[in-house]
Amino acid sequence: MTVRTNLQMPVGDAVAKHPGVVRVGRAGWLAKGVVYVVAGVLGLLIISRSFGWADASTTGAEASPTGAVKEVAKSGGGKPLLYVLAIGMFLYAIWRIVAATLPGGTGAKALATRVGYLVSAIIYGTLGLTAISLANAPAQSADGNKTVTDLTARVMTHTGGRWLIGLAGVAAIGAGLYHVVKGFKLDVTQEVDMSGMSADRARWTRRFGAAGEIGRGTGIALIGFFLFRAAVTFDPNEATGLDGVLRRLLVHSWGVILVALVALGFLAYGVFCVTTFNRQRLQAP
């Protein structure tokens, strides 16, 4: 029986014919990693402020990927860095669109994966647009928390809008739990070429990836919880962005644990992306 190698499979064929797609996607992974590292640091600063360890002037930033983009806008590189980051986000979005359209499975799980890839493409494409917007009009920086609240309020004014927000919350909770389970299973290297890695590096790569999935999943699930709560209470002010979620949690003593989990998870995921970007490969659903 002939064993087909990766390059003989449909995905391998696509990569072999279009190696530029892989290079594009890897650049996107690097940019994505940088965003998550900054977002993780911002989350840790929020915790520092809650304990009085950091000055208020250092903790007003929005602890989220969008907030990370805003912090880049304030850095010394400013506008040029924002354009570089925007290009990276767009490249990653393209990578996800390509992955979603590759030949592969046709079952329910494969379909869900394709939809997830497309949603990811929309999210990071939007981050790219945010970076460009900040580069061109930094004074018009939007508040991610207010954006979620306002959008929820608009949707809930329509017939069935309350149900739609509730379903969105349930979907986000489900997606978050999916990432958390992936993390606990160490199921994080499907898109990483692990060949040639030392045993130590492979082990730490999985650990950083797992911590990242658990942290990201927790953040997504928490956003979903507040969306669902907004639908149940019919109060759009309950819905908020990730930064708003983290700040609300800190009013509870146990909330610090969840905020730290998300912040450290973001930081770990960023490190995971940055240290493996040159090993990323296209993965069919």
Side-chain angles (χ1 to χ4, degrees):
M1 181 177 68
T2 302
V3 178
R4 302 181 72 188
T5 64
N6 185 51
L7 287 180
Q8 292 174 309
M9 299 298 284
V11 176
D13 292 340
V15 173
K17 293 176 181 177
H18 305 286
V21 173
V22 176
R23 288 193 290 270
V24 162
R26 287 175 174 174
W29 272 95
L30 177 60
K32 179 185 178 183
V34 171
V35 167
Y36 272 96
V37 166
V38 176
V41 171
L42 294 177
L44 293 176
L45 282 175
I46 288 180
I47 297 175
S48 297
R49 170 57 181 163
S50 72
F51 285 105
W53 298 338
D55 185 80
S57 63
T58 65
T59 55
E62 188 179 328
S64 67
T66 301
V69 173
K70 292 180 183 179
E71 287 306 295
V72 171
K74 299 175 185 176
S75 67
K79 195 169 184 176
L81 283 178
L82 283 172
Y83 280 120
V84 170
L85 196 60
I87 292 171
M89 292 295 95
F90 291 144
L91 293 179
Y92 181 76
I94 292 171
W95 171 275
R96 278 312 188 205
I97 292 172
V98 171
T101 57
L102 283 172
T106 56
K109 183 178 179 180
L111 178 60
T113 301
R114 293 182 193 278
V115 171
Y117 284 166
L118 292 175
V119 170
S120 182
I122 292 171
I123 291 173
Y124 290 100
T126 301
L127 272 178
L129 291 175
T130 298
I132 291 177
S133 175
L134 287 170
N136 293 326
Q140 298 178 11
S141 174
D143 184 306
N145 301 320
K146 187 175 185 299
T147 298
V148 174
T149 302
D150 291 347
L151 179 61
T152 301
R154 287 198 297 271
V155 172
M156 289 174 66
T157 60
H158 300 286
T159 304
R162 186 177 181 182
W163 283 95
L164 184 60
I165 294 299
L167 288 173
V170 171
I173 292 171
L177 292 176
Y178 169 76
H179 284 286
V180 170
V181 170
K182 279 188 66 177
F184 278 113
K185 288 183 175 181
L186 297 179
D187 182 20
V188 296
T189 57
Q190 307 96 321
E191 297 179 89
V192 180
D193 180 5
M194 303 289 285
S195 62
M197 271 193 187
S198 67
D200 282 342
R201 183 180 178 187
R203 182 167 57 253
W204 281 104
T205 293
R206 290 190 177 90
R207 286 176 179 175
F208 275 112
E213 289 295 346
I214 293 171
R216 287 203 310 152
T218 301
I220 294 169
L222 287 170
I223 292 173
F225 169 77
F226 281 101
L227 280 173
F228 183 74
R229 185 170 169 176
V232 171
T233 61
F234 203 42
D235 181 4
N237 290 316
E238 289 290 341
T240 184
L242 179 63
D243 175 76
V245 168
L246 299 183
R247 293 179 189 274
R248 288 181 185 180
L249 289 174
L250 284 177
V251 302
H252 307 286
S253 58
W254 51 264
V256 176
I257 298 174
L258 285 177
V259 176
L261 182 64
V262 174
L264 291 173
F266 274 20
L267 193 57
Y269 188 72
V271 171
F272 172 77
C273 292
V274 169
T275 57
T276 63
F277 82 93
N278 62 332
R279 288 176 169 267
Q280 293 294 328
R281 61 188 180 190
L282 282 170
Q283 178 74 24

